Structure formats: structure tokens, C-alpha cells
Amino acid sequence: MKKGVMRPGHVQLRVLDIEEALAHYRDLLGLIEVERDDQGRAYLKGWTEVDKFSVVLRQADEPGMDFMGFKVLNNTVLEKLESDLTAYGCAVEHIAAGELSGCGRRIRFEAPTGHRFELYAEKEQPGKWGVSNVNPEAWPMDLKGMKATRFDHCLLYGPNVEDTYALFRDVLGFDLAEQVVDPEGNRVAAFLTASMKAHDVAFIDCPEPGKFHHASFYLETWESVLRAADLISMTNTSIDIGPTRHGLTHGQTIYFFDPSGNRNEVFCGGDYHYPDHEPVTWKAEDLGKAIFYHDRVLNERFLSVLT
Amino acid sequence: MKKGVMRPGHVQLRVLDIEEALAHYRDLLGLIEVERDDQGRAYLKGWTEVDKFSVVLRQADEPGMDFMGFKVLNNTVLEKLESDLTAYGCAVEHIAAGELSGCGRRIRFEAPTGHRFELYAEKEQPGKWGVSNVNPEAWPMDLKGMKATRFDHCLLYGPNVEDTYALFRDVLGFDLAEQVVDPEGNRVAAFLTASMKAHDVAFIDCPEPGKFHHASFYLETWESVLRAADLISMTNTSIDIGPTRHGLTHGQTIYFFDPSGNRNEVFCGGDYHYPDHEPVTWKAEDLGKAIFYHDRVLNERFLSVLT
Amino acid sequence: MKKGVMRPGHVQLRVLDIEEALAHYRDLLGLIEVERDDQGRAYLKGWTEVDKFSVVLRQADEPGMDFMGFKVLNNTVLEKLESDLTAYGCAVEHIAAGELSGCGRRIRFEAPTGHRFELYAEKEQPGKWGVSNVNPEAWPMDLKGMKATRFDHCLLYGPNVEDTYALFRDVLGFDLAEQVVDPEGNRVAAFLTASMKAHDVAFIDCPEPGKFHHASFYLETWESVLRAADLISMTNTSIDIGPTRHGLTHGQTIYFFDPSGNRNEVFCGGDYHYPDHEPVTWKAEDLGKAIFYHDRVLNERFLSVLT
Amino acid sequence: MKKGVMRPGHVQLRVLDIEEALAHYRDLLGLIEVERDDQGRAYLKGWTEVDKFSVVLRQADEPGMDFMGFKVLNNTVLEKLESDLTAYGCAVEHIAAGELSGCGRRIRFEAPTGHRFELYAEKEQPGKWGVSNVNPEAWPMDLKGMKATRFDHCLLYGPNVEDTYALFRDVLGFDLAEQVVDPEGNRVAAFLTASMKAHDVAFIDCPEPGKFHHASFYLETWESVLRAADLISMTNTSIDIGPTRHGLTHGQTIYFFDPSGNRNEVFCGGDYHYPDHEPVTWKAEDLGKAIFYHDRVLNERFLSVLT
């Protein structure tokens, strides 16, 4: 949080059928359905998230990610970051307060990888779902499915990972927590964090700009990952891989697809990061183990199926 | 335990290099090394097993299983089962007490699947390893690797599964806990138990007789399965598949190979069985989900790599 | 299962208010409500139990246990055990089929500790709740509360533990899995099993006959024990002690009370037993550690609060 | 991290016998022994900590905490915080680089609760213990005992909690993550964080200044807490309470004492905090549930046994 960026605050995903998608994110992942806006977009959040929403689903003709937003400390920070982005040569777009229901004004920019990001300082804050802020119980009783606790991060594919890293580092104050480096010394993956988490957003090098690999949601335990895997099977949901552990970050994970083909991850555990930590390096020639620590080989899908 | 057969008591495996194999079963699986006999065979056991040994490794030119032994209640039961086997038309061979160090006399027979089995009533019983029988602590502190608690069962491939099931049921008093049935009504897999466990031995139909699929060892928790998976990766051991859950028995599992190519499983959980339970049936056309509950597809290795 | 007794099949408990009790056993423990009979008794079961019911609640003026029943292999066994009980000098009472809804005829006797037990061979067997017997899913989605999987055992207090042990051993074929022995060599607690479980029923010496300490229900994991503890707190249920581990059996456990004051346990794990295992012995002078392995002291309640 | 304070970096504890204490912190908690300095102080760290040490043991006539240190982002921050402390009216003391082996210069001050704190910007950084920074394995194989991953926080008792909170908030940039408030509106406990953790340091109101309640170490899972509890019993270590869950932060925990009577905690889980989160409030009249979520009553020891 060197420059006042706190956390990933939301992601807007394109889905082919809003009702099917809602059933997936609400009933299977266990996100809380919050609202439907007049554009027909559906808003959801994990139960531990204090802000109004973190996932927005928009019906569209093809799947993928519209944008990812980061919440910053306050409006002073927002203004400073806007001017810093502009000074850095990055065009910014203003989205008026209320365009996303309950969210303040947003500053949008495009990263060199071709992805759209947003910064904002204000969002309605109804508090955690199902537990009080006074004498809070350990968890709410009425959670569904995987009981995902929060939207955690996105992994994005595109070109110019190096420039994007520089932008996130120099302007937004992110740290490089982990990286994959090829034998020629090129950084082919960058895992970036503004906090103690091993990644708030990650990029993998790929010729095509603006591609979406997955949105990830946090679970509490390895047993929750097993339950998630069971639910994927019980609901005949398309699985990618897991349960397994990552080499990168060492999180325990499972990947699967929403009905539109967008990849989801639910995971638990994983390493922590502080700004004075050296980045962890994985060698590109050991990418199999870096991604899937147990199998030590990649499945083809993981690198090629993107939305 | 309808006819006095208590449990799988030992398995003798052929390995290409006894020292490499010992390192694998002792340091990685965490079995306790007990003894080396004058034939050079190595004896091991899981720490919760009260008898002297449960795994015997014999150096040979090709891997596989020599035989699997079941402990019966007492010598009266042993004599009765011997005469019942003979009456059933099954040739029995006598192995003198002491041929396996610390084990009483064994009655050996070959099942129609081509596997050799043994019955015995006596084995030295030094008690659990590392804990007293008076005021026992919860677990011994000096366990290694996966900390496997006991030899649990074998899965064997061969022809005449139906006749083998009949022999185990009618003569030895085993129950059919789970089965796989093809659309024509043929039983292509039989999971048999003499106790509350979902399987003490299991058979899958295959033209070649006497093939060994895996020996399985019990772990305490799903977290232990994760640690086992981590150790497989850390030690660069050949993995087959996992961590995952089975449909059959619903155990949580991981498969890997010893240095000779014999498949091992470590697992936890799984359903329990009583003699009045109807067998659970999986349809052969859903064999993928029956074997690997999360992926719902078989990997080719699982059906074809045998020793 | 040396003499054909398979398992604890049911327990009938007296409760002060049937609706409150139902809410407790159904909504908090997560037992499945099966039926209400014309006497007003409520029937429940754990979801993994194949028989129709395992818990019967009867409204009465004071709490406690009416009787505990064991299911035997078949009617031949039932007849044999009846004549063996009679020959042993134990008066037996016949309860007609249907007195408990869906249960066959029962043979009832009183143990020297003053508790009533029953044997029966037949009960309606609808199978596990919420999962099919063909291609069964890992667990049903609609479980409530603690998701207790099965009625597991009872702990009972009374005099003449030694005679009761002899009866269960000699007539019913139970094994002594664990015991507590005082410095004079008297057995003050006996944990008995007819199967691989560390106890199907247990007795602790106490001057007053026929006292009920607790009925115990099985959970899958230590994490389930944590969730159970959380639910006890969330529902403002009276807790006794836990989460903790027992020394005896090494199970992981929590104790609490139903609204009538009957003690319940939910637990997971625990040692396994085979008939050739020597009983585990705990010294009475170390009873604190034997009962509560971590605290190593008893709370007064555990020995004195009985129904 | 609003003002550049990153994390708790070390705690120096007084112990009555340095060898006994070392055995406790190294063999039971599983901290890594790093060095012994020429004053006879012993240095240790958790295996995930990248800096040289986090725990310093000093032999003395009575137990307790000498000081707790926080690492800041860099020397610029250190200088700024020093001048801010002075401007705030807080006397600062300079400790030369090297006084703690491998640690840069430290700025020491006393909080109104009577505890000594330090800030520093530099410490030798050998990296995590037992794993490489390139292609790191998931965990090192040779960990001992509880395998504590890191020094996490301290809970301290003293007067003037309100003034101390103001100092940590206004000068050091800490947030109030959780609090206990009495019916008159007085804040009797303040849990403070400079990061995403639910607490980096916590204060409870008490007339006597400078008292030490516990130092806490992080474990990975609830199963690790069980193993820790088992080890406490196996090693006949003095237990305070647990395994249980806290209401405050919802962490899963166990408390015990080092051989000198200093209280330790090992815990896992717990809520996360961001700077825009409202503090969680527990009512002082529900302090039992706030501290021990399951029992909902305090044990007397927890409030009165301090060092």
C-alpha cells in the first residue's frame, strides 16, 4: 500500500446468459447476490467483504473481463494517482459516481497488456454479510455452495508484461511478489501485490492483448477446496484442474469454468508478502512445477483457454 | 469377519533394488523399518499396526506382488478355512512358520484372478510403534515422510473376477462393499471387505492374470494427503494422479510409483461398510467418475500401467 | 463381530419437550428427521446410516436413556443370542415387531450396570439419506448444522462394570478395546466394541445404576468439530468441554447438552481395533489425561452430571 | 502501512534459564535457532520469516518482555517517524546498529501502557529458512515440533490504552481493527494493525504498567493447532487453554507457558483488515465470548497471569 492502493475491489465479467451465470456464482461459488441494476447487470460479493459488491456480471455476446477495479485509501489518493497516471503518459477516463450502483467515481486506464483497470475511493459499505459488526459470530449460517469468502485477484494474459509491471510498480505502488523468468532473463510472468497477499493481480506474457485467464476467490481451508471439488462434480460443472497446489505462491487450488467459459479459481493458503521481501523467482523451464506443484506438468488448457 | 478373517496382514512386493525401495517405503511413505531377513527381504509396517510387519520387499528382476496375506482370528479358524478351501476345490500350499520372520504357518492359495493369497493366525505382536500400550500418546514424534499409519488394501487386476468374488464370499466370508457393473450386467470390479473398511482387497477385470495395480496405505486426514503430494513433488517421485477423491468408496487419495514402478496409494476417509449393507454400484459407463470423482475422466495410465 | 452383533442400531432418549429436542437433534446436530409415531416419539438418523432410524426421542418428565439397541446379523443369530442370554442367567423381554416403527422384534435385557439393551435383526433399510446407492455422490447438499453422519456409541455409568463386561464379552462377543484400571487393579472403565471402532458402548463405574453420560455422533473431520463448536456458540447451546482430544481412543471431540440436559458428543478420528489387539490401558491416577488429553485435568461436570 | 511501518519484527523476552527456554522455543514451537550473541542472548525465527531473527531470549531473574520491535520501510521512514515521535512528545532512545546481531540502528520509545517499542529499517535478510528463493519448495522437511511459521503479534497489558492507541494511530499509522468497549463507552482493549492482519499488537487495560500477556506465533491450519495441543501434552508443557476459537479476530488458538512462565500462543486463521474497515466491536459484558468463543466464559488465569 505504498501509494494508497488498498485492494482489488471489483471485477466486471461478460457472460452469455445472466441467469445461468448468477446461478453459478451465487449457488455454486456461494457469493451473495446483492442487486440487479437498470442495465441488467448482476452484483455479488463474498460474505467477508465489507463493501457493497465485488463481482459484476454483464450479459454479452462473448465472455471475458470488462475491467478490474482497485479501491484506494481516499479521494486525495485518487486525485494524486490520476495525475500520476497522466504524468506517466497513461490516458485516463472518468466514470461518474453511480455508474456502478453504490460506487463512487472511477478513474479508468488501459494497461500495456490491453486490460482496463479502474481506481476508486468510495463504495457503499454495508459491512460483512450475515454477521454483525458488534459481537460478530464466526460465520453466517446460510452460506451456499463453496462459501467463497472474497474476490481475491485476477490472472490476465497479454503482451508488454514488463511495461505493465513498471506502471503498477512506479505509479500505483505495487510490489513484485513472484515472477517467472526465462533462460534469457525475460520476465514472462509477474505476480503483483499492494498488500500482504501473494498477488492482487498477475500477468502472463501472451501475444494477444486483453485476455482473461481467471478470477479467483478465497476459501478458508484445504478442506473447503475438497468440498468445492466435490460440488464441481455434483453439479456437473466443467473442471480445469485440481485440487492441487501451486508452486507460485504455494496456494491450494482448484480451477473450473463458469457456464460462459470464463475460468474461476477458488483457493486457500499461499505465501504472504511484505514490501522488503525479494521477489520469488520460478524458472520458465520449470513452469509445470511453478503452476501445478504436484503434477509438475502443465495441461494444455491452462495456457491456451482464455476469454 | 463372518468366517474369522480379520484383516489384510501383509503384502510381499518385488522391487528392482532393495535399498532404493527401502528408502522409498521408509523415508517417503514413513513406514517403520523392522528387519532384514537372511534372504535379504526387508520388513516394514505402519506405526499403528500392532503386528511385527505388514510390508515385505523382495529384490527381483521385475516388479509386482508376490502375495497378499490375511490374518485370521486363531488357529481353529485357520484349520477350518484350510479345509473349506480344499473342499471348494482350491489347492492349498503350506508355508512353514518362520519363513516370514516372526510369522506363524501360512496357508497359501491362488485365486482365479491369478493372484496368490495367504491366511495365517499368528504373528509376533510387539504393539504399535513408538507409543506405549499404557497411557499411549496420540502419535509418536519421530515419524518420517507421509507418516503412513497402516497397510490398508491392494487393488489387483486379472480375469475371473466373478469366481474370485465367489471364493472370497463363500469360503472366506468377505462382503461385496462396492462394484462396477457394465451395461450387460457384468461385474467388472469388485471391492471386498472382511470388516468395516470399504475394501480390504479389490479386483478389476483384465485379461492378463495376476497383475498388481497398487498397494494402499492409510493416512489420517485430507491435509496429510496434501503433505504427501508435496513430498512426492519435493522428492521428485513419479506421480500418477491426485490429490483427488474416488467415487468408489469416496476416499481422498493420491497415487504414485515406487522406484521399481509399483503403484502406491495413500488415502484417507472413505465410506464404512457393515454386512447388512447393500453393495454400492457404479455404472461402468461412468467409470471415470467412479475412479476419479472430480475429473470424471480416467487417465490412460490408471487402466494400463500394472506390475 | 465374533457372535454376530454388528453395531449400535438405536438409542431411545427421554426429553422434556419433544419439539425443543427435535430442533436440537435435527437443526443443530443435523440428524435427519424420519418420522413421528403414534406415541409421539420422534425418529431420526445420521445421513450415512442405511437403516430407517437410529435415534428415538420420547417426551418424559425426566431426561435419560430408555434403552440402547444393537443390530445383529440375522434372525438365526438373534435366536442364538436370546438362548445364550437366558442360559447366562439374563432375563429377556420380547418386544414385538413394529413397536418401534419399521423395526423387527427386539430382545431386551438389563445389564448389571442397570441399563437396558436390545438386540434385533431387522429394520427397514431405505439406504443413506440424500445419496443414491448407484453412482452415489460424496455427500448430500442439504445437510444442516453439524452434519452428524451417524449415531456412534453411548457412554454409560453404573455399578458392576466387571459383570457387564463379562456379559458383553462372553455372550455377545464384544472385545475390550480400552480400559481404565485403578492402582488396586480394578477396572473402573471398559470401552467395548463389536467391530473396528474403538467403542460401540462404554461403561464407567458409578454407584448409581442406569445412568446416562452421553450419546455420541460421528463427524468426518477435526474441522467439522470446529464448526460444531462454532454452532454451539452461535445457537447459545450449553457446552460441556471441547474442542479437544481424548486420551482414551484418541478421538477429537466436543461435548454439549441437549435442552433436556442429556449430554451429546460429536467427534472424529480415533483409534481402530481388531479382535487380536491387546486392550489399551489408562491408569486411573491419570484419568484427567485419559479423558481430556490436552488439559490433563477433569472438569467436575464430566464425572458428576448424568441423566 | 499508512506511515511506513511494515510489521512486528522482533520481541525480546526474559527467561529464567536460557537453555530450557531454547529447548522450548526451538524444539516445541519449532522456531529456527539462529545465533547466540556475546551477551548470551539466543536468536530465533519462524521458517517463513526472511529476516535474520524475530525472537530474542535473554536470561534474567524474572520473566517478561524487554521490548517489541517494528520494521519500517526504509531509513527515510525511520527518520521521519523518529521526528514525529519526538514532535508528539515521546522521548526516543537510540540503539546502535549491531546491538542486536544483524539488526540496524533502532529508535526506542515507551508507550503510555509502560511497554518499550522499537523501530528499525534494516536487518540482515538471509531469506526463508530451508527453502530457496528460486523454485521454492512448499515447506522445508526438517521442521520440529509445532512448526511455527512466524512471530505474529504480542498482547500487552497496561494502563492508558487510549493514549497508546492514539500514539500508534496518529504517529505510526496503525488502524484499530478490533476493540472491546465497556457499557460506559470506555475502550478496554485495542487490537492494532499496520497491515492486513487482524492484529500486529494488542493492548488490554490493566492498572499495572508494562505487563506481558503473550507472544503469538502463526500456524498454517486448525490441524496444526491440534498437533500443537498434542505436543503440549506429550511434552508435559503447562497449558493455559485451547484448542479453541477467539471471538475477537476469530482466530483458532491454543495458549501455553514457556518454562519461565511467559505465555505463548500459536494460532491460525483469523479475520483480515483493510484501512477502510470499521473496527469490530465486542462488548465488555460479553468478554468471555470475545476471548473464548466456544466456552463463553473466561478462565481466571487469562486475565491475571502476566509476566
Side-chain angles (χ1 to χ4, degrees):
Chain A
M1 219 190 61
K2 288 176 193 162
K3 308 234 171 168
V5 177
M6 288 193 292
R7 65 171 172 272
H10 56 240
V11 61
Q12 182 168 307
L13 298 176
R14 294 187 298 275
V15 296
L16 304 185
D17 180 295
I18 194 80
E19 296 303 336
E20 273 187 10
L22 247 180
H24 174 88
Y25 287 95
R26 180 191 59 213
D27 301 337
L28 180 60
L29 274 84
L31 297 178
I32 310 303
E33 184 177 0
V34 174
E35 192 175 294
R36 192 76 73 91
D37 73 13
D38 49 17
Q39 296 181 37
R41 292 182 298 187
Y43 294 63
L44 305 100
K45 64 181 273 187
W47 73 268
T48 69
E49 296 179 292
V50 297
D51 287 345
K52 181 175 177 180
F53 66 87
S54 61
V55 173
V56 183
L57 304 176
R58 179 173 73 85
Q59 190 161 309
D61 291 339
E62 53 180 27
M65 183 185 86
D66 280 340
F67 53 79
M68 181 182 176
F70 294 96
K71 193 175 191 187
V72 305
L73 211 45
N74 53 43
N75 267 308
T76 311
V77 167
L78 186 62
E79 283 161 22
K80 175 73 164 66
L81 290 174
E82 176 179 358
S83 72
D84 289 351
L85 278 167
T86 308
Y88 195 79
C90 203
V92 302
E93 181 185 358
H94 293 87
I95 319 286
E99 194 280 332
L100 280 170
S101 171
C103 186
R105 72 189 184 91
R106 293 131 64 201
I107 301 299
R108 186 180 288 174
F109 64 95
E110 189 171 307
T113 49
H115 300 93
R116 290 192 295 174
F117 293 99
E118 304 180 344
L119 307 176
Y120 66 95
E122 292 177 348
K123 193 182 279 182
E124 285 175 24
Q125 195 169 85
K128 294 182 187 180
W129 182 86
V131 294
S132 168
N133 207 38
V134 177
N135 290 8
E137 302 293 355
W139 35 272
M141 285 205 210
D142 298 323
L143 296 172
K144 292 180 182 175
M146 297 177 183
K147 306 181 183 184
T149 65
R150 67 168 183 242
F151 166 53
D152 190 88
H153 67 267
C154 287
L155 174 57
L156 305 171
Y157 277 47
N160 308 314
V161 165
E162 203 57 25
D163 293 342
T164 297
Y165 165 42
L167 169 66
F168 272 78
R169 177 190 63 212
D170 297 340
V171 183
L172 302 177
F174 282 65
D175 289 315
L176 180 69
E178 309 224 352
Q179 60 183 344
V180 180
V181 177
D182 73 14
E184 289 74 42
N186 302 304
R187 189 179 285 121
V188 296
F191 283 47
L192 305 180
T193 180
S195 65
M196 280 186 72
K197 288 162 53 187
H199 41 9
D200 283 325
V201 63
F203 297 96
I204 290 186
D205 185 65
C206 149
E208 199 176 353
K211 301 307 287 180
F212 174 74
H213 189 272
H214 72 261
S216 184
F217 301 87
Y218 196 71
L219 302 185
E220 294 192 342
T221 64
W222 173 233
E223 184 167 319
S224 303
V225 176
L226 174 65
R227 298 276 167 189
D230 293 339
L231 285 163
I232 287 167
S233 195
M234 288 177 194
T235 56
N236 213 22
T237 298
S238 177
I239 193 173
D240 187 2
I241 196 165
T244 189
R245 186 197 280 278
H246 289 301
L248 283 151
T249 80
H250 295 121
Q252 298 121 58
T253 181
I254 187 165
Y255 286 101
F256 52 103
F257 295 96
D258 78 8
S260 306
N262 293 305
R263 191 187 277 97
N264 296 157
E265 178 188 40
V266 290
F267 81 109
C268 74
D271 299 329
Y272 61 93
H273 181 85
Y274 281 106
D276 64 332
H277 285 201
E278 284 296 306
V280 167
T281 301
W282 282 85
K283 298 180 180 177
E285 56 270 39
D286 300 313
L287 190 61
K289 188 171 179 180
I291 303 287
F292 301 125
Y293 184 65
H294 298 145
D295 284 348
R296 289 161 277 159
V297 289
L298 287 177
N299 66 354
E300 174 56 22
R301 267 195 310 268
F302 196 83
L303 290 184
S304 60
V305 176
L306 306 169
T307 55
Chain B
M1 221 190 59
K2 289 177 195 162
K3 308 234 173 168
V5 176
M6 289 193 294
R7 65 171 171 272
H10 56 240
V11 62
Q12 182 168 306
L13 297 176
R14 294 185 299 274
V15 297
L16 304 184
D17 181 297
I18 193 81
E19 296 303 335
E20 274 187 11
L22 248 180
H24 174 88
Y25 287 95
R26 179 191 59 212
D27 301 338
L28 180 59
L29 274 84
L31 298 178
I32 309 304
E33 184 178 359
V34 174
E35 192 176 296
R36 192 76 72 93
D37 72 14
D38 48 17
Q39 295 180 38
R41 293 181 298 187
Y43 294 64
L44 305 100
K45 64 183 272 186
W47 74 269
T48 69
E49 295 179 292
V50 297
D51 287 345
K52 181 176 177 181
F53 66 87
S54 61
V55 173
V56 182
L57 305 176
R58 179 174 72 85
Q59 189 161 311
D61 290 338
E62 54 181 25
M65 183 184 86
D66 280 339
F67 53 81
M68 181 182 179
F70 294 95
K71 194 176 190 188
V72 305
L73 210 44
N74 53 42
N75 266 307
T76 309
V77 166
L78 187 61
E79 282 161 23
K80 175 72 164 65
L81 291 174
E82 177 179 356
S83 71
D84 289 353
L85 279 167
T86 307
Y88 195 79
C90 204
V92 301
E93 182 185 356
H94 293 87
I95 319 287
E99 195 279 334
L100 281 170
S101 172
C103 187
R105 72 188 186 90
R106 292 130 67 200
I107 301 298
R108 184 181 289 172
F109 64 95
E110 189 172 308
T113 50
H115 300 92
R116 289 191 297 173
F117 293 99
E118 302 179 345
L119 308 175
Y120 65 96
E122 292 177 347
K123 194 181 278 183
E124 284 176 27
Q125 195 168 84
K128 294 182 185 178
W129 182 86
V131 295
S132 169
N133 207 38
V134 177
N135 289 7
E137 301 292 357
W139 35 272
M141 286 205 208
D142 298 324
L143 296 172
K144 293 181 180 173
M146 298 177 182
K147 306 181 184 185
T149 65
R150 68 168 183 243
F151 165 53
D152 190 87
H153 67 268
C154 287
L155 174 58
L156 305 172
Y157 276 47
N160 308 313
V161 165
E162 202 58 23
D163 293 341
T164 297
Y165 165 41
L167 170 65
F168 273 78
R169 178 190 62 212
D170 297 338
V171 183
L172 303 177
F174 281 66
D175 288 316
L176 179 70
E178 308 225 350
Q179 59 182 343
V180 180
V181 177
D182 74 14
E184 290 74 40
N186 303 304
R187 188 180 286 122
V188 295
F191 283 47
L192 305 180
T193 181
S195 65
M196 280 186 73
K197 290 162 52 189
H199 42 10
D200 284 324
V201 62
F203 298 95
I204 290 188
D205 185 64
C206 149
E208 200 177 351
K211 300 308 287 180
F212 174 74
H213 188 273
H214 72 262
S216 183
F217 300 88
Y218 196 72
L219 302 184
E220 293 191 343
T221 65
W222 174 234
E223 184 167 320
S224 303
V225 175
L226 173 66
R227 298 277 167 187
D230 293 340
L231 285 164
I232 286 167
S233 195
M234 288 177 194
T235 56
N236 213 23
T237 298
S238 176
I239 193 173
D240 188 4
I241 196 166
T244 188
R245 186 197 282 277
H246 289 300
L248 283 150
T249 81
H250 296 120
Q252 297 122 58
T253 180
I254 187 164
Y255 286 101
F256 52 103
F257 295 96
D258 79 8
S260 306
N262 293 305
R263 191 186 277 96
N264 296 156
E265 177 187 39
V266 290
F267 81 109
C268 74
D271 299 328
Y272 61 93
H273 180 85
Y274 280 107
D276 64 330
H277 285 201
E278 284 296 306
V280 167
T281 300
W282 283 84
K283 297 180 181 178
E285 56 270 39
D286 300 313
L287 191 62
K289 188 171 180 181
I291 303 287
F292 300 126
Y293 185 65
H294 299 145
D295 285 349
R296 289 161 277 160
V297 288
L298 286 178
N299 66 355
E300 174 56 20
R301 266 196 309 271
F302 196 82
L303 290 184
S304 60
V305 176
L306 306 170
T307 56
Chain C
M1 221 191 59
K2 288 176 195 163
K3 307 234 173 169
V5 177
M6 288 193 293
R7 66 171 173 270
H10 56 240
V11 61
Q12 182 169 307
L13 298 174
R14 293 186 298 274
V15 297
L16 303 184
D17 181 296
I18 194 80
E19 296 302 335
E20 274 186 11
L22 247 180
H24 174 88
Y25 287 95
R26 179 191 59 213
D27 300 338
L28 179 59
L29 274 84
L31 298 179
I32 309 304
E33 183 179 1
V34 174
E35 191 176 295
R36 193 76 72 93
D37 71 14
D38 48 19
Q39 295 181 38
R41 293 181 297 187
Y43 294 64
L44 304 100
K45 63 183 272 186
W47 73 269
T48 70
E49 295 178 293
V50 297
D51 287 345
K52 180 175 177 180
F53 66 87
S54 60
V55 173
V56 182
L57 305 175
R58 180 173 73 84
Q59 190 161 309
D61 290 339
E62 53 180 26
M65 183 185 86
D66 280 338
F67 53 81
M68 181 182 178
F70 294 96
K71 193 176 190 188
V72 304
L73 209 46
N74 53 43
N75 267 307
T76 309
V77 166
L78 186 61
E79 283 161 23
K80 175 73 165 62
L81 291 173
E82 177 180 357
S83 71
D84 289 352
L85 279 167
T86 308
Y88 195 78
C90 203
V92 300
E93 182 187 354
H94 293 87
I95 318 287
E99 194 280 333
L100 281 171
S101 172
C103 186
R105 71 189 185 91
R106 293 130 65 200
I107 301 300
R108 185 180 288 174
F109 64 96
E110 190 171 307
T113 49
H115 300 92
R116 289 191 296 174
F117 293 99
E118 302 179 345
L119 307 176
Y120 65 95
E122 291 178 348
K123 194 181 277 182
E124 284 175 26
Q125 195 168 86
K128 294 182 184 178
W129 182 85
V131 294
S132 169
N133 208 37
V134 177
N135 289 8
E137 301 293 355
W139 35 273
M141 285 204 208
D142 299 324
L143 296 172
K144 294 181 181 173
M146 298 179 182
K147 306 181 185 185
T149 65
R150 67 167 183 242
F151 165 53
D152 190 86
H153 67 269
C154 287
L155 174 58
L156 305 172
Y157 277 46
N160 309 311
V161 165
E162 202 58 23
D163 293 342
T164 297
Y165 165 42
L167 170 65
F168 272 78
R169 177 190 63 212
D170 297 340
V171 183
L172 302 178
F174 280 66
D175 289 315
L176 179 69
E178 310 224 350
Q179 59 183 343
V180 180
V181 177
D182 74 14
E184 291 73 42
N186 302 305
R187 188 179 286 121
V188 296
F191 283 46
L192 306 180
T193 181
S195 66
M196 282 185 72
K197 289 162 53 189
H199 41 11
D200 283 325
V201 63
F203 298 95
I204 289 186
D205 185 66
C206 151
E208 198 177 352
K211 302 307 288 181
F212 174 73
H213 188 274
H214 72 262
S216 184
F217 301 87
Y218 196 73
L219 301 185
E220 294 192 342
T221 64
W222 174 234
E223 184 167 320
S224 303
V225 175
L226 174 66
R227 298 276 167 188
D230 293 339
L231 285 163
I232 287 167
S233 195
M234 289 177 192
T235 56
N236 212 22
T237 297
S238 176
I239 192 172
D240 188 4
I241 195 165
T244 188
R245 185 198 283 276
H246 290 301
L248 283 151
T249 80
H250 295 120
Q252 297 121 59
T253 180
I254 187 164
Y255 286 101
F256 53 103
F257 295 96
D258 78 9
S260 307
N262 293 304
R263 191 186 277 98
N264 296 156
E265 178 187 38
V266 290
F267 81 109
C268 73
D271 299 328
Y272 61 92
H273 179 86
Y274 280 106
D276 63 331
H277 285 200
E278 284 296 307
V280 167
T281 299
W282 283 83
K283 297 180 182 178
E285 56 270 40
D286 300 314
L287 191 61
K289 187 170 179 180
I291 303 288
F292 301 126
Y293 185 66
H294 299 145
D295 285 348
R296 289 161 277 159
V297 289
L298 286 177
N299 65 355
E300 173 57 21
R301 264 196 311 268
F302 195 84
L303 290 185
S304 60
V305 176
L306 306 170
T307 55
Chain D
M1 219 191 60
K2 287 176 193 162
K3 307 235 173 167
V5 177
M6 287 193 293
R7 66 172 172 271
H10 56 241
V11 62
Q12 182 168 305
L13 298 175
R14 294 186 299 274
V15 297
L16 304 184
D17 181 297
I18 193 81
E19 296 303 335
E20 274 186 11
L22 248 180
H24 174 88
Y25 288 95
R26 179 192 58 213
D27 300 337
L28 180 59
L29 274 85
L31 297 179
I32 310 303
E33 183 178 1
V34 173
E35 192 175 294
R36 192 77 72 92
D37 71 14
D38 48 18
Q39 296 181 37
R41 293 182 296 187
Y43 294 64
L44 303 100
K45 63 183 274 186
W47 74 268
T48 69
E49 295 180 292
V50 298
D51 287 346
K52 181 176 176 179
F53 66 87
S54 61
V55 173
V56 182
L57 305 175
R58 179 174 73 85
Q59 190 162 309
D61 290 339
E62 54 181 26
M65 184 185 86
D66 280 340
F67 53 81
M68 182 183 176
F70 294 95
K71 193 176 190 187
V72 306
L73 210 46
N74 51 45
N75 267 308
T76 310
V77 167
L78 186 62
E79 283 161 21
K80 175 74 165 64
L81 291 173
E82 177 180 357
S83 71
D84 289 353
L85 279 167
T86 307
Y88 195 80
C90 204
V92 302
E93 181 185 356
H94 293 87
I95 318 287
E99 194 278 334
L100 281 170
S101 172
C103 186
R105 73 190 185 89
R106 293 131 64 201
I107 302 299
R108 185 180 289 174
F109 64 96
E110 189 171 306
T113 50
H115 300 92
R116 291 191 296 174
F117 294 98
E118 304 179 344
L119 307 176
Y120 65 95
E122 291 177 349
K123 193 181 279 182
E124 285 175 26
Q125 196 168 83
K128 294 182 186 178
W129 182 86
V131 295
S132 169
N133 208 37
V134 177
N135 290 7
E137 301 293 355
W139 37 272
M141 286 205 210
D142 298 325
L143 296 172
K144 292 180 182 173
M146 297 178 183
K147 306 181 183 185
T149 66
R150 66 170 184 242
F151 165 54
D152 190 86
H153 67 268
C154 287
L155 173 59
L156 306 171
Y157 277 47
N160 309 313
V161 166
E162 202 58 24
D163 293 342
T164 298
Y165 165 42
L167 169 65
F168 272 78
R169 177 190 62 212
D170 297 340
V171 183
L172 303 177
F174 281 65
D175 289 314
L176 179 69
E178 309 224 352
Q179 60 183 342
V180 180
V181 178
D182 74 14
E184 290 73 42
N186 303 305
R187 188 179 286 121
V188 296
F191 283 47
L192 306 179
T193 181
S195 65
M196 281 185 72
K197 289 162 52 188
H199 41 11
D200 284 325
V201 63
F203 298 96
I204 289 186
D205 184 65
C206 150
E208 199 176 353
K211 302 306 287 180
F212 174 73
H213 188 273
H214 72 262
S216 184
F217 301 88
Y218 196 72
L219 301 185
E220 294 192 342
T221 64
W222 174 234
E223 185 168 320
S224 303
V225 175
L226 173 66
R227 299 275 168 191
D230 293 339
L231 285 163
I232 287 167
S233 195
M234 288 177 195
T235 55
N236 213 23
T237 298
S238 177
I239 193 172
D240 188 3
I241 197 166
T244 188
R245 186 197 282 278
H246 289 303
L248 283 150
T249 79
H250 295 120
Q252 297 121 60
T253 180
I254 187 164
Y255 287 101
F256 53 102
F257 295 96
D258 79 8
S260 307
N262 293 304
R263 191 186 277 97
N264 296 157
E265 177 188 40
V266 290
F267 81 108
C268 73
D271 299 329
Y272 61 92
H273 180 86
Y274 280 106
D276 62 332
H277 285 201
E278 284 295 308
V280 167
T281 299
W282 282 84
K283 297 180 180 177
E285 56 269 40
D286 301 312
L287 191 61
K289 188 171 179 179
I291 303 288
F292 300 126
Y293 185 65
H294 299 145
D295 284 348
R296 289 161 277 160
V297 289
L298 286 177
N299 65 355
E300 173 57 23
R301 266 195 310 268
F302 196 82
L303 290 184
S304 61
V305 177
L306 305 169
T307 56

